[in-house]
Amino acid sequence: MDFNKHLDIAPEVAAALAAGKSVVALESTIISHGMPYPKNVDTALRVEQAIRENGAVPATIAVIHGRLKAGLSRDEIEYLGRTGRGVAKASRRDLPALVARGTDGATTVATTMIIAHMAGINIFATGGIGGVHRGAEVTMDISADLEELAQTPVMVVCAGAKSILDLGLTLEYLETKGVPVIGYGTEELPAFYTRRSGFGVDYRVDSPEELAAIFRAQRELNYRGGMLVTNPIPEQYAMDKDVIDAAIEQALAEANAQGIHGKETTPFLLAKVVELTGGESLESNIQLVLNNARVAARTACALCC
Ligand code: PSU
Ligand code: MN
């Protein structure tokens, strides 16, 4: 572990790390910006529970009053969920100002990876990652998540990416940056709400042990980047492709019409899709995060022993 004066590791997480036990990091943008209160708090606690049931210790990550937190109390999770969009979405470029000003931040995939790595945690479970936006050849809107995967040695377990993004360009970018994209039980990149996207992944892997072996080899090769594990939503919770595609098209059209840009783009599109598809997409979202938490926890265990 890389001691950092701005980092607080929760006692349970610190004890697990010191004992060489498995720990899984979780992000907080999904709590503050990804789901409505109180479902967001309820889900965050259920995800932590799923990690415990699969043999690992959860470390939900956020910035609270300028402190980088690896592991949150129930009260802190409740605070982030209740405050919702009142908590700033914090990507890589935001951490210095949040720390200097002593303010709060809900961590994206990029910042969760940064703080997890500082704390000595190498596996992180989430829902979806950011990527190359549609039209990025003009807007240059490419999530800092991809750059982080290229430079920070953390395994990110997700359910693929939503087609609010250009999934083909996202894969091209990851290839250029040397980030392995692994399908868990699939040859195809999952598209978050649906199990298929039409794009192939680099490798298919069918067990946590095999995921752990690839991650271990990546470390032994002294690579500096991480890897992306894409785990399809369980069949019974997958959404109808036409329903979700129509919602995404409408969300993109409204974002264009309203001139949404910059860091607001992703939250705007995600909120619109949820608004247009109602409770069904929320339930799918919850289930896929739980599914990713289970795979991440088992992989963390396979990596420890
Ligand atoms: N995509 C999703 N769900 C999410 C996010 C993206 O399907 O919750 C969140 C994650 O926290 C991700 C962030 O790291 O949005 C990416 O934001 P941006 O595109 O502004 O980098
Ligand atoms: Mn962006």
Side-chain angles (χ1 to χ4, degrees), residues 237-259:
Y237 300 108
M239 290 184 67
D240 185 276
K241 185 177 183 306
D242 295 335
V243 170
I244 202 71
D245 283 353
I248 285 171
E249 289 303 333
Q250 188 176 334
L252 287 164
E254 288 187 32
N256 269 335
Q258 294 181 38

Side-chain angles (χ1 to χ4, degrees), residues 13 61 71 108 129 139 157 166 170 211 247 265 296:
V13 175
I61 288 182
T108 62
I129 60 156
T139 62
V157 181
D166 187 319
T170 300
L211 287 178
T265 302

Side-chain angles (χ1 to χ4, degrees), residues 190-227:
F192 197 88
Y193 292 121
T194 58
R195 292 173 59 86
R196 311 185 61 153
S197 66
F199 294 97
V201 292
D202 303 329
Y203 298 94
R204 172 183 175 151
V205 157
D206 291 285
S207 70
E209 291 70 28
E210 215 188 330
L211 287 178
I214 297 175
F215 188 74
R216 203 177 286 124
Q218 196 188 34
R219 303 283 65 77
E220 288 163 1
L221 290 167
N222 291 321
Y223 276 26
R224 62 192 179 116
M227 63 187 247

